[in-house]
Amino acid sequence: MEEEELSGLENLEELWLGKNKIEKIAGLSKLTKLRRLDVQSNRLTKIENLAAQVDTLEELYLAHNGIDNEGAKRETGLALPFTKLDTLDLSRNRLTDTSPFAHLKSLSELWISGNDIKAFEDVEPIAGLELEGIYLEYNPVDKEFEYRKKLKEMIPSLNQIDANL
């Protein structure tokens, strides 16, 4: 999306762009009041160009794309120190571990079901977060013995694991 396509929308707080064949997050630099961004079911492979939203973004929905760990760690994307990001949905992407989210201290909801997270070692990076809810089902790790119990031990603040505790 080009910058001029969003001109005059500086006060926009929510932007929903699902199912538009978008390949790159762009054109958002003037949307400094954006609280909710939905770019689900597109063709994204990386998360970038979100620096203007670092102090306002509360919810980011990026499910059903092609984002892998490298694409999730981009300097102008999730590597930024988001101060209000509460809900992050990266379900049905290509993630192999939770390292891209370890520094996101404001997160309370992390939805990463349907990726390729294989073992508890791959979840360990987010053990220090105060998450209230996590969706990890449809990852190989959900087949591990005592999966829910181990998650709760790893992240004691959880009160929602997948569809139930």
Side-chain angles (χ1 to χ4, degrees):
M1 185 164 260
E2 299 300 318
E3 196 82 38
E4 55 273 2
E5 292 180 274
L6 297 169
S7 66
L9 299 174
E10 289 78 16
N11 291 319
L12 196 67
E13 292 186 14
E14 295 187 16
L15 184 59
W16 301 82
L17 298 169
K19 298 182 180 178
N20 279 294
K21 300 179 183 175
I22 294 170
E23 295 180 2
K24 181 177 182 178
I25 297 173
L28 305 180
S29 65
K30 292 191 174 132
L31 303 182
T32 57
K33 296 181 180 176
L34 203 61
R35 293 182 309 108
R36 189 171 293 120
L37 178 61
D38 183 321
V39 197
Q40 295 185 77
S41 301
N42 278 286
R43 297 178 179 170
L44 298 175
T45 57
K46 47 192 176 241
I47 306 166
E48 58 190 347
N49 301 318
L50 296 176
Q53 292 76 36
V54 73
D55 292 319
T56 59
L57 200 62
E58 298 170 12
E59 299 175 21
L60 181 57
Y61 301 99
L62 299 168
H64 296 272
N65 278 290
I67 301 165
D68 60 13
N69 280 54
E70 185 179 324
K73 291 181 177 181
R74 302 297 284 216
E75 270 184 34
T76 61
L78 284 182
L80 292 166
F82 288 94
T83 58
K84 294 183 178 176
L85 189 60
D86 174 75
T87 302
L88 178 60
D89 182 0
L90 273 160
S91 299
R92 305 285 179 196
N93 275 283
R94 297 180 180 153
L95 300 171
T96 55
D97 67 45
T98 60
S99 61
F101 325 117
H103 68 288
L104 297 174
K105 302 296 182 195
S106 61
L107 270 187
S108 68
E109 295 286 332
L110 180 59
W111 306 340
I112 49 176
S113 60
N115 279 283
D116 195 26
I117 299 168
K118 292 183 168 92
F120 283 104
E121 294 77 37
D122 302 325
V123 181
E124 191 68 38
I126 59 168
L129 298 182
E130 294 288 321
L131 292 174
E132 293 175 22
I134 190 166
Y135 287 82
L136 258 174
E137 68 253 319
Y138 307 113
N139 279 286
V141 72
D142 80 351
K143 307 290 184 276
E144 291 278 334
F145 180 69
E146 294 188 327
Y147 157 75
R148 283 181 169 69
K149 180 181 178 197
K150 288 180 183 176
L151 266 181
K152 180 72 173 159
E153 288 170 357
M154 187 182 292
I155 309 168
S157 57
L158 285 173
N159 56 40
Q160 180 77 41
I161 297 173
D162 301 334
N164 54 15
L165 185 62

